[in-house]
Amino acid sequence: MTYKAIIFDMGGVCVGSPFEGIMKFEKEHNLPHNYINVIIVFFGENGAFQRLERGELSLNEFYPIFSFFLSNPINKQYYIQHLKSRGETTLPQIPDQISIDGKLLFRKMMFESTKIDPIVFTALKKLRSSNKFKLAALTNNFPMQTDDLKIEFLELKRLFDEYFESSVIGLRKPDPKIYLYACEKLGIEPKDAIFLDDIGMNLKTAMNLGMRTIKVELGRSEKAIKELEQLTGILLFDNNKTKL
């Protein structure tokens, strides 16, 4: 199969995962593992985080709404239901009163997302040098001022031919429309693309549309890039340590 484009997620693929920030926050505040992510997902497309990523909320509007949703006492019930639906028989201890500062949590999440993955960064540079593929980012994000971005991040961003942002487009993964939007802008069919992401539901939509998918597991980008190397036929690793 000859591919024409490679589409990368950002958080959890090209840069650190916000999930790492969530896990650190949970440990620091004595919350059970995956509690916050379960709640974020539970509120669905009308949740504060989802609305932020579609550009419907500014950060100042987002913070109090995010705090309110995460601190709702009913969340404990949703979390327990989630565990039971997965067949969990041993339920963790959950604090009686949970009050989550959405702004503090969000900052911790975003701090992890500023760390560029050197393995993926090297692979992108080698793919760019090959001139064999269109390179794109397809990210669920939120509006940011350019001044807030590190120079290294801007250098990473310049490696892409197209940079598709949910907050700009008004759609977010896993909505099939945003994948089709990206393909149209790239001038390709979904079957012509390789798509890398760290979230299963995002990969499922891409696969259903006909894309070749690669899951980037937390802390295991090397495994994903080895798979990408096999699909592209291009050596994507550097013997020397990548310097940003």
Side-chain angles (χ1 to χ4, degrees):
M1 176 70 186
T2 301
Y3 298 100
K4 298 178 181 178
I6 305 172
I7 304 174
F8 293 79
D9 176 35
M10 290 300 291
V13 178
C14 298
V15 296
S17 171
F19 292 121
E20 294 185 65
I22 289 176
M23 288 189 293
K24 290 179 181 178
F25 186 94
E26 288 173 339
K27 288 181 181 179
E28 292 169 0
H29 293 80
N30 196 32
L31 294 172
H33 173 68
N34 208 34
Y35 178 85
I36 290 172
N37 189 48
V38 168
I39 302 309
I40 290 174
V41 172
F42 173 80
F43 283 105
E45 291 305 304
N46 290 321
F49 202 79
Q50 290 83 346
R51 292 177 62 197
L52 177 72
E53 290 184 332
R54 290 196 300 269
E56 296 172 6
L57 296 173
S58 69
L59 277 175
N60 287 334
E61 292 170 326
F62 164 74
Y63 290 138
I65 298 173
F66 195 41
S67 299
F68 174 79
F69 275 112
L70 292 177
S71 302
N72 192 324
I74 203 171
N75 291 342
K76 290 189 287 185
Q77 178 183 333
Y78 297 146
Y79 180 70
I80 291 171
Q81 288 176 353
H82 167 78
L83 294 181
K84 289 181 177 179
S85 72
R86 294 172 58 88
E88 298 284 347
T89 55
T90 303
L91 301 180
Q93 292 291 325
I94 304 175
D96 291 334
Q97 297 292 328
I98 296 178
S99 179
I100 295 176
D101 184 329
K103 186 174 184 178
L104 183 63
L105 168 61
F106 187 75
R107 285 181 171 177
K108 189 171 284 290
M109 293 167 65
M110 293 305 104
F111 176 76
E112 297 298 328
S113 298
T114 63
K115 301 176 182 178
I116 295 175
D117 187 304
I119 293 174
V120 179
F121 186 71
T122 295
L124 275 165
K125 289 192 291 185
K126 289 181 177 292
L127 289 166
R128 166 58 59 213
S129 297
S130 76
N131 290 317
K132 291 185 176 181
F133 305 95
K134 292 181 178 179
L135 301 178
L138 180 57
T139 177
N140 287 350
N141 71 349
F142 60 96
M144 287 184 69
Q145 297 294 325
T146 303
D147 293 344
D148 295 333
L149 300 176
K150 293 184 177 181
I151 293 174
E152 292 88 350
F153 188 90
L154 295 174
E155 183 181 351
L156 169 67
K157 193 173 178 180
R158 283 194 290 267
L159 293 172
F160 297 107
D161 297 297
E162 296 283 354
Y163 196 83
F164 301 112
E165 303 175 83
S166 64
S167 61
V168 174
I169 299 169
L171 299 167
R172 66 186 295 275
K173 297 175 293 183
D175 188 336
K177 294 187 184 76
I178 196 169
Y179 300 80
L180 296 174
Y181 175 91
C183 287
E184 181 181 354
K185 293 295 182 182
L186 289 167
I188 63 167
E189 297 294 327
K191 64 180 177 60
D192 299 324
I194 301 171
F195 176 67
L196 295 89
D197 204 296
D198 62 321
I199 298 178
M201 68 179 76
N202 295 344
L203 292 162
K204 183 178 180 181
T205 298
M207 186 183 299
N208 288 341
L209 290 171
M211 293 181 180
R212 178 63 183 261
T213 60
I214 298 176
K215 184 170 185 179
V216 183
E217 299 172 14
L218 188 63
R220 302 190 66 190
S221 59
E222 183 176 354
K223 178 176 177 287
I225 296 304
K226 282 181 180 177
E227 187 174 347
L228 183 60
E229 193 175 66
Q230 293 173 351
L231 291 174
T232 60
I234 298 172
L235 297 176
L236 299 178
F237 291 91
D238 195 340
N239 292 329
N240 299 315
K241 187 177 179 180
T242 302
K243 295 181 179 180
L244 300 181

Coordinates of all heavy atoms in Angstrom, one line a residue, residues 212-242:
R212 N -5.2 3.9 7.8 CA -4.3 3.0 8.5 C -4.0 3.6 9.9 O -3.5 4.8 9.9 CB -3.1 2.7 7.7 CG -2.1 1.7 8.4 CD -2.7 0.4 8.7 NE -1.8 -0.5 9.4 CZ -1.0 -1.5 8.8 NH1 -1.1 -1.6 7.5 NH2 -0.3 -2.3 9.5
T213 N -4.2 3.0 11.0 CA -4.0 3.6 12.3 C -2.8 3.0 13.0 O -2.5 1.8 12.9 CB -5.3 3.5 13.1 OG1 -5.6 2.1 13.3 CG2 -6.4 4.2 12.4
I214 N -2.2 3.8 13.9 CA -1.2 3.4 14.8 C -1.5 4.0 16.2 O -1.6 5.2 16.3 CB 0.2 3.9 14.3 CG1 0.6 3.3 13.0 CG2 1.3 3.5 15.4 CD1 1.9 3.8 12.4
K215 N -1.6 3.1 17.2 CA -1.8 3.6 18.5 C -0.5 3.9 19.2 O 0.4 3.1 19.2 CB -2.6 2.6 19.4 CG -2.9 3.2 20.7 CD -3.9 2.3 21.5 CE -4.3 3.0 22.8 NZ -5.3 2.2 23.6
V216 N -0.4 5.1 19.8 CA 0.8 5.5 20.5 C 0.5 5.4 22.0 O -0.3 6.2 22.6 CB 1.2 7.0 20.2 CG1 2.5 7.3 20.9 CG2 1.3 7.2 18.7
E217 N 1.0 4.3 22.6 CA 0.8 4.1 24.0 C 1.6 5.0 24.9 O 2.7 5.4 24.5 CB 1.1 2.6 24.3 CG 0.2 1.6 23.5 CD 0.7 0.2 23.7 OE1 1.4 -0.1 24.6 OE2 0.2 -0.7 22.9
L218 N 1.1 5.3 26.0 CA 1.7 6.2 26.9 C 3.2 5.7 27.3 O 3.3 4.6 27.7 CB 0.9 6.4 28.2 CG 1.4 7.4 29.2 CD1 1.3 8.8 28.6 CD2 0.6 7.3 30.5
G219 N 4.1 6.6 26.9 CA 5.5 6.2 27.2 C 6.1 5.2 26.3 O 7.3 4.8 26.5
R220 N 5.4 4.9 25.2 CA 6.0 3.9 24.2 C 5.9 4.4 22.8 O 5.5 3.7 21.9 CB 5.1 2.6 24.4 CG 5.2 2.0 25.8 CD 4.5 0.6 25.8 NE 5.4 -0.3 25.0 CZ 5.0 -1.6 24.7 NH1 3.8 -2.0 25.1 NH2 5.8 -2.4 24.0
S221 N 6.4 5.6 22.6 CA 6.4 6.2 21.2 C 7.3 5.4 20.3 O 7.1 5.4 19.1 CB 6.7 7.7 21.3 OG 8.0 7.9 21.9
E222 N 8.4 4.9 20.9 CA 9.4 4.1 20.1 C 8.7 3.0 19.3 O 9.0 2.8 18.1 CB 10.5 3.6 20.9 CG 11.6 2.9 20.1 CD 12.8 2.4 21.0 OE1 12.8 2.8 22.2 OE2 13.6 1.7 20.5
K223 N 7.8 2.3 20.0 CA 7.1 1.2 19.4 C 6.2 1.7 18.2 O 6.2 1.0 17.1 CB 6.2 0.5 20.4 CG 5.3 -0.6 19.9 CD 4.6 -1.3 21.1 CE 3.6 -2.4 20.6 NZ 2.5 -1.9 19.9
A224 N 5.5 2.8 18.4 CA 4.7 3.3 17.3 C 5.5 3.8 16.1 O 5.1 3.6 15.0 CB 3.9 4.5 17.9
I225 N 6.7 4.4 16.4 CA 7.5 4.9 15.3 C 8.2 3.7 14.5 O 8.4 3.8 13.3 CB 8.6 5.9 15.8 CG1 7.9 7.1 16.4 CG2 9.5 6.3 14.7 CD1 7.0 7.9 15.4
K226 N 8.4 2.6 15.2 CA 8.9 1.4 14.5 C 7.9 0.9 13.5 O 8.2 0.5 12.4 CB 9.3 0.3 15.6 CG 10.6 0.6 16.3 CD 10.9 -0.6 17.3 CE 12.2 -0.4 18.0 NZ 12.4 -1.4 19.0
E227 N 6.6 1.0 14.0 CA 5.5 0.5 13.1 C 5.4 1.5 11.9 O 5.2 1.1 10.8 CB 4.2 0.5 13.8 CG 3.1 -0.1 13.0 CD 1.8 -0.3 13.8 OE1 1.9 -0.2 15.1 OE2 0.7 -0.5 13.2
L228 N 5.5 2.8 12.2 CA 5.5 3.8 11.1 C 6.6 3.6 10.1 O 6.5 3.8 8.9 CB 5.5 5.2 11.7 CG 5.4 6.4 10.7 CD1 4.0 6.3 10.0 CD2 5.5 7.7 11.5
E229 N 7.8 3.3 10.7 CA 9.0 3.0 9.8 C 8.7 1.9 8.8 O 9.1 2.0 7.7 CB 10.2 2.7 10.8 CG 11.5 2.8 10.1 CD 12.6 2.5 11.1 OE1 12.7 1.4 11.7 OE2 13.4 3.5 11.3
Q230 N 8.1 0.9 9.3 CA 7.8 -0.3 8.5 C 6.8 0.1 7.4 O 6.9 -0.4 6.2 CB 7.2 -1.4 9.3 CG 8.2 -2.0 10.3 CD 7.6 -3.1 11.2 OE1 6.4 -3.2 11.3 NE2 8.5 -3.8 12.0
L231 N 5.8 0.9 7.7 CA 4.8 1.3 6.7 C 5.3 2.3 5.7 O 4.9 2.2 4.5 CB 3.6 1.9 7.4 CG 2.7 1.0 8.3 CD1 1.7 1.8 9.0 CD2 2.1 -0.1 7.5
T232 N 6.3 3.1 6.1 CA 6.8 4.1 5.1 C 8.0 3.7 4.4 O 8.4 4.3 3.3 CB 7.1 5.4 5.9 OG1 8.1 5.2 6.9 CG2 5.9 6.0 6.6
G233 N 8.8 2.7 5.0 CA 10.0 2.3 4.3 C 11.1 3.3 4.5 O 12.2 3.3 3.8
I234 N 11.0 4.2 5.5 CA 12.0 5.3 5.8 C 12.6 5.1 7.2 O 11.8 4.8 8.1 CB 11.4 6.7 5.7 CG1 10.8 6.9 4.3 CG2 12.4 7.8 6.1 CD1 10.0 8.2 4.1
L235 N 13.9 5.2 7.3 CA 14.5 5.0 8.6 C 14.2 6.3 9.4 O 14.5 7.4 9.0 CB 16.0 4.9 8.4 CG 16.5 3.6 7.7 CD1 18.0 3.6 7.5 CD2 16.1 2.4 8.4
L236 N 13.5 6.1 10.5 CA 13.0 7.2 11.3 C 13.7 7.4 12.6 O 13.3 8.3 13.4 CB 11.5 7.0 11.5 CG 10.6 6.9 10.2 CD1 9.2 6.7 10.6 CD2 10.8 8.2 9.4
F237 N 14.7 6.6 12.9 CA 15.4 6.8 14.2 C 16.8 7.4 13.9 O 17.4 7.3 12.9 CB 15.5 5.5 14.9 CG 14.3 4.9 15.4 CD1 13.5 4.1 14.6 CD2 13.8 5.3 16.7 CE1 12.3 3.6 15.1 CE2 12.6 4.8 17.2 CZ 11.8 3.9 16.4
D238 N 17.3 8.1 15.0 CA 18.6 8.7 15.0 C 19.5 7.9 16.0 O 19.1 7.7 17.1 CB 18.5 10.1 15.3 CG 19.8 10.9 15.0 OD1 20.8 10.3 14.8 OD2 19.7 12.2 14.8
N239 N 20.7 7.6 15.6 CA 21.6 6.9 16.5 C 22.0 7.8 17.6 O 22.3 7.4 18.7 CB 22.9 6.5 15.8 CG 22.6 5.3 14.8 OD1 21.7 4.6 15.1 ND2 23.3 5.2 13.7
N240 N 22.0 9.1 17.4 CA 22.4 10.1 18.4 C 21.2 10.6 19.1 O 20.1 10.7 18.5 CB 23.2 11.3 17.8 CG 24.4 10.8 17.1 OD1 25.2 10.0 17.7 ND2 24.7 11.3 15.9
K241 N 21.3 11.0 20.3 CA 20.2 11.6 21.0 C 19.7 12.9 20.4 O 20.5 13.7 20.1 CB 20.6 11.9 22.5 CG 19.4 12.3 23.4 CD 19.8 12.5 24.8 CE 18.7 12.9 25.7 NZ 19.1 13.1 27.1
T242 N 18.4 13.0 20.2 CA 17.8 14.2 19.6 C 18.0 15.4 20.4 O 17.7 15.3 21.6 CB 16.3 14.0 19.3 OG1 16.2 12.8 18.4 CG2 15.7 15.2 18.6

